[in-house]
Amino acid sequence: MKTPKLLPWYARKAGVSLERAETLWRKAVREATLETGWVGNAEYWGSAMSHFTRLLNEERSTLCAPSVVPYVRAQNRMWRLPLLAMEDVFAAFHAQWQRQSGSTRRAA
């Protein structure tokens, strides 16, 4: 049975193995065949894809894989915060110093 070319992408996005995604695809095709009664028309493929995405979402909700990426990104922002604040303080100090000295130097 032919599978969609984007099946590995869907599997990786849902966090399931390729073999499990192929099994879910076959189940979605069976459900679409029962629902539409036809094979190969646009309604059939649309129904198969909707069943497949529903099955992938159900499979994703059963997995116990915590999402770590948002925490790592937040930690990265918290790590950079003091450096960004120090950079702003030095820029303000430098601008004030140039204003008080009366000489302005322009970058090349």
Side-chain angles (χ1 to χ4, degrees):
M1 172 188 307
K2 292 179 92 176
T3 60
K5 289 184 179 182
L6 291 176
L7 190 77
W9 180 79
Y10 281 116
R12 191 172 48 250
K13 184 178 173 188
V16 299
S17 67
L18 185 59
E19 293 81 19
R20 182 65 182 153
E22 289 173 352
T23 304
L24 292 175
W25 172 252
R26 287 192 293 273
K27 184 176 180 180
V29 165
R30 285 192 304 270
E31 290 178 5
T33 305
L34 288 174
E35 182 180 313
T36 61
W38 294 91
V39 176
N41 59 3
E43 180 185 356
Y44 168 78
W45 291 115
S47 176
M49 280 307 294
S50 65
H51 285 295
F52 179 63
T53 55
R54 178 184 52 82
L55 289 170
L56 273 179
N57 287 335
E58 289 174 1
E59 186 74 18
R60 183 187 318 166
S61 67
T62 61
L63 296 175
C64 184
S67 180
V68 179
V69 174
Y71 298 114
V72 172
R73 286 184 182 152
Q75 186 66 28
N76 188 18
R77 286 193 301 268
M78 293 297 284
W79 169 252
R80 287 190 337 223
L81 188 62
L83 299 175
L84 294 173
M86 186 177 287
E87 184 179 326
D88 291 341
V89 166
F90 281 137
F93 178 72
H94 182 68
Q96 181 65 24
W97 187 22
Q98 281 188 349
R99 273 186 241 129
Q100 284 182 357
S101 68
S103 65
T104 57
R105 295 182 182 172
R106 300 196 186 267

